[in-house]
Amino acid sequence: MITREYVTLFLVGSCFLLDYSSQNPLQAFLQGRTKGGVTSPTGGTGNKGAMASVGVGTSLRDSVRLRRHGKSGVQRVKRGWVWNQFFVLEEYMGSEPQYVGKLHTDMDQGDSLVKYTLSGEGAGSIFTIDQITGDIHALVGLDREEKSYYTLRAQAVDMETGHPLEPESEFIIKVQDINDNEPRFLDGPYTASVPEMSPTGTYVTQVTATDADDPTYGNSARIVYSILHGQPYFSVDSKTGVIRTALANMDREVKEDYQVLLQAKDMGGQLGGLASTTTINITLSDVNDNPPRFAKSIFHLRIPESASVGSAVGRIRAHDLDAGKNAEVDYSIVPGDEGNMFDIISNGQSQEGIIVLKKTLDYETKKSYTFKVEASNAQLDPRFLHLGPFKDSATIKVNVLDVDEPPVFTKPFYSVDVYEDTPPGTIIGSVTAHDLDASSSAVRYSLEWQREADSCFDIDTVEGTLSTNEYLDREAATQHNITVVATKVNNPLLSTKVSVIVKVLDVNEFPPELAVPSDTFVCENAKAGQVIQTVSATDKDLPPVGQRFFFKSPKELRNRNFTIRDFGNNTAGIVTRRLGFQRRVQDTYVLPVVVEDSGYPAQSSTATLTIRVCSCEPGGFLLSCSAEAVFLPVGLSTGAMMAILLCVVILMVMAALYMGQRRHKEKETLMSSKEDIRDNVIHYDDEGGGEEDTHAFDMGTLRNTHTHRTSSHIAMTEHDADMIREFIQQRLEESQLGYGAPPYDSLATYAYEGEGSIAGSLSSIEESWAIEGSEDFSSLSDWGQPFKTLASILDRQPPTQTEPEES
């Protein structure tokens, strides 16, 4: 290249000038650094070839001459040669080897007695030296970017003997840089983005070029950046390569992509510098600076009236010039009466609004709907709110299309009530369906038989009246579910169904029955208006909720003793109408009671209630009824009371028999055998006590042969009566202490032998009847409450009995 040749000539001339101007200072510097015959190379001054120092004095030449002839002196000889750093120009294109420099020592007198040798990096292959003159040449062209310097060693030896005249010394050949590399963009082409509407000077990106030339030498690596294409939109910093916006408010919607051609030039941008270019693709990123807009103000949509709820009616879209999230649109229906029939869904991908049906349509009721829809941005940028409202609205008009529909019943379901045993053919109800379409077709009815029980009914195909085909039995089925089908005459394929519930009502077939209590009584001391018994009724029918029973007395019978009071809760009370009852006068009463239900037709029955007259305590506690004595004392069990009652009855019977027998019996018969004393002795199962067993009764009585009893014989002493009373009282107390078992040992029962017996009666109790000639039994009251009633019974005078005449 011409430029490279110019640079080479310029550098060579500069080196010669520098070498000439620095010869004297360099010699003084080298002489100052040399001590004791040792000299180290120093840095060069910029010249391409440095020559060795010349003429260091006669003493040196003499020493060399002595060394050449094999003689040595006693003193040390200083080193007589030295050289500087050498420079070689890179990329040398000449036909001859490039001269690098010259080695020379002051021992060399030009008589060709000194030989120069070269060793180290590139010696012999890259660099060569003239052994006589010491001139160094570069055999090949060098590239500084591959290797910037070479380290070599030089030696001066005696030509004849081959002995070193100087110690071997190391020096450097540095490759001098030339501007042979242009700047490079290693990562190009580049991409960058900057928000639209950005102000001037907004940072976009930074690019950097690299130059392989030596940045420390000259301007070969000094780069300057400039824009060749991309103005006036962008600018670049010439030193740093930072790209910025040069035009304010660039709109992405107008132009989104830009391409900038950037140049990097070395030599500080001067003429002759090397340059390269790269491309930077800059994109304007979107900001929300545009509101959504509808393409038209009115959208017309259509939908059939048969459309199901949730089906799509149509799609609308508001266009937004922005992109991404800035273009997302939210759709909403402006509140209004007609807008309640629909809903709208925002589709984030297509940015559309999908209108869906919210309620069922009916063409015959309303044929069209009009409402407004609003579209707005989901995300707003506060920097651009001043541009106006970021929303838009449009009117939606939906036309409902007529569809041929099946008939419609007037009710969602029907319910019919019918009494059981209704005659067949009876009309029990009706259904009605209409065709709401404009054609208004006639409707025909039929029954859909699903089970055998549906055959119990029939329907009029024109009128829709339901009737029975046979008798219904509520006990067999209380309810029937039948299905009625309504079909259009002009289109039999269109039909609809409705459910009819037939409830079978119960017929009041059975009269109510009085629940008669097991035992009804009235106290002798009952007061007027006193409730003595509560009665209720039952009915075999299945009455509906709320059925009521009515209680009353027969109209033809007027009872002056008792009446019936209806309590109103399906119960009634038997109430006395007068004060006091006497069982000696009348011990039972009969009361007819009429009970009637509230069914249709009403049924009634009459029952007879038997009321006994009983003796009661003042508090109403029952004592006895009629001829039976009923004891209910506190503290005695039921078994104990039954035993006491049995004893009392036995005593009464024995007393009556004794009173009759004593008038007829004149003599006693002596017992002559063991069989004659059968039941007169109490039998015990436990072991006897020997002689103590004789105390159970008087054995002498059994051996009595007298046939006539005197009054003194019969009479009981007061002592004996006290013993009997004490015995009975003891037994009563023992029975009252135990509540779990009947008092079996309370009284000992003695049998009566009857007429003709020699022994007569052995009962001491019977003798007490004879003692009390006046028949005063008031003393029994002292034995306790249970014997008060017994005393009152015995105090009454028994009917007089005539004694039979003796024959």
Side-chain angles (χ1 to χ4, degrees), residues 91 283 403:
E91 301 294 342
T283 302
V403 176

Side-chain angles (χ1 to χ4, degrees), residues 237-353:
D237 189 299
S238 60
K239 295 181 179 180
T240 62
V242 174
I243 300 175
R244 301 179 183 273
T245 59
L247 188 63
N249 298 328
M250 287 185 291
D251 194 353
R252 187 196 67 86
E253 289 72 32
V254 176
K255 183 177 176 60
E256 181 177 7
D257 298 321
Y258 294 84
Q259 191 174 72
V260 175
L261 184 60
L262 184 66
Q263 176 184 264
K265 189 176 183 181
D266 59 10
M267 298 299 292
Q270 298 178 3
L271 184 63
L274 303 179
S276 63
T277 60
T278 188
T279 302
I280 305 170
N281 297 313
I282 301 175
T283 302
L284 296 182
S285 59
D286 184 66
V287 297
N288 191 11
D289 59 341
N290 294 280
R293 290 289 181 262
F294 286 106
K296 51 186 177 180
S297 59
I298 299 178
F299 290 86
H300 294 274
L301 303 177
R302 296 184 298 175
I303 184 173
E305 63 174 334
S306 60
S308 60
V309 175
S311 59
V313 179
R315 297 171 179 263
I316 61 174
R317 181 177 181 182
H319 296 273
D320 194 323
L321 298 179
D322 295 324
K325 294 184 177 180
N326 296 323
E328 291 181 359
V329 180
D330 288 338
Y331 296 91
S332 61
I333 295 178
V334 178
D337 295 336
E338 297 185 355
N340 295 333
M341 294 290 295
F342 305 93
D343 199 359
I344 190 167
I345 301 174
S346 301
N347 189 331
Q349 295 181 351
S350 62
Q351 302 302 327
E352 292 179 329

Side-chain angles (χ1 to χ4, degrees), residues 588-605:
T588 59
Y589 292 89
V590 177
L591 178 64
V593 179
V594 178
V595 57
E596 182 178 318
D597 60 20
S598 59
Y600 180 82
Q603 300 286 348
S604 64
S605 65

Side-chain angles (χ1 to χ4, degrees), residues 134-242:
D135 293 331
I136 301 174
H137 291 81
L139 301 177
V140 296
L142 302 178
D143 188 358
R144 190 200 67 85
E145 285 69 39
E146 293 182 2
K147 190 172 181 61
S148 59
Y149 65 92
Y150 296 84
T151 303
L152 293 96
R153 294 181 298 277
Q155 179 74 62
V157 298
D158 189 284
M159 183 69 72
E160 295 177 357
T161 63
H163 293 292
L165 300 178
E166 296 288 345
E168 185 180 49
S169 181
E170 185 178 82
F171 67 96
I172 295 175
I173 299 177
K174 187 175 182 180
V175 181
Q176 187 71 45
D177 181 54
I178 64 173
N179 191 19
D180 58 342
N181 293 278
E182 69 275 4
R184 294 182 181 275
F185 295 95
L186 302 179
D187 299 326
Y190 300 87
T191 59
S193 66
V194 63
E196 63 173 333
M197 310 301 291
S198 297
T200 303
T202 301
Y203 175 85
V204 179
T205 186
Q206 181 179 13
V207 295
T208 303
T210 61
D211 196 322
D213 293 327
D214 188 1
T216 63
Y217 180 76
N219 295 325
S220 298
R222 181 186 174 190
I223 301 173
V224 174
Y225 300 94
S226 62
I227 293 180
L228 301 181
H229 177 73
Q231 295 175 335
Y233 306 105
F234 302 95
S235 63
V236 65
D237 189 299
S238 60
K239 295 181 179 180
T240 62
V242 174

